[in-house]
Amino acid sequence: MATLGELERAVMDLLWQSDSEDPAEIALTANALRDRLARKTASSPDGKELAVTTVLTVLSRLEKKGLVQRERDIRPHRYRAVTSREEHTVELMNEVLGSAPDREAVLAKFIGSVSEQEAETLRKLLTA
Amino acid sequence: MATLGELERAVMDLLWQSDSEDPAEIALTANALRDRLARKTASSPDGKELAVTTVLTVLSRLEKKGLVQRERDIRPHRYRAVTSREEHTVELMNEVLGSAPDREAVLAKFIGSVSEQEAETLRKLLTA
DNA sequence: AAATTGTTCTACACTACGTAGAAACTTGTA
DNA sequence: TACAAGTTTCTACGTAGTGTAGAACAATTT
């Protein structure tokens, strides 16, 4: 499965986040990402700054995985998430589900595993 | 995430399968598994037999991951799946879902991604 | 007790990921 | 235009997970 490493996940989180923030920043540069990663990790006061090359490597890998798209025409390349976080999560759920022979049985159990409030939301969606 | 390798998956598939078959065989030995793995791969006529130690290694790892339980008291140890395949799949789905900040949005999209027939099943389950 | 069968230990190759330096390339500028 | 600063690519290493199995050790059978 297309499971992400810790840093890959952190980068995707930033790209997904930028989706909703300042619309001028949907696509970020490696440097912008490096800075935000540093600030993010600032919860632990080690002030750890990654090398830009590290971020670039990760971005290349994410691009190869099809999760990230890069604008190559402009010079500091800009990177953006190909899908929204929600879409991606749904894809993962379907990957997991797809590998099951008895999909309906799984879905049944799954429904039973969500909160009552969420079940209510689903009910509305399904009967709409 | 607790993602499985190819061989680990194959072993789990056999253990999950044995759940529904001959009830005397819910728990299998490493040798039984090795044989079945060979037959399974028989689709490609390489007749590839794994070493029993290979199967045992994988079983140990699966045990460590909590997916498999072994009966140590009897001598050819017997192995069984701790959860059903469906339960396991649901756990995975919830793992994926849990890492999302906006669960309901994901669920909404997810609902839209299943077939109409499955949606119908879910509708019944939710309104029951 | 010896032979057979089963289990544990140890190990190696391969891949994914975090990490980054060195080299190559671009671009702005003196 | 030639150089400096910024950017990207290449290469590489450490670690962890997985597939694979031999060697050594333990239990069972005969």
Side-chain angles (χ1 to χ4, degrees), chain A residues 9 12-20 81 83-85 88:
Chain A
R9 159 68 64 181
M12 288 311 298
D13 277 345
L14 287 172
L15 293 179
W16 278 323
Q17 195 184 332
S18 77
D19 229 0
S20 39
T83 67
S84 72
R85 191 208 309 267
H88 179 250

Side-chain angles (χ1 to χ4, degrees), chain A residues 111-123, chain B residues 104 126 128:
Chain A
I111 286 300
S113 79
V114 304
S115 73
E116 178 47 45
Q117 194 205 316
E118 285 171 341
E120 181 54 35
T121 304
L122 295 183
R123 212 169 287 138
Chain B
E104 299 225 358
L126 281 167

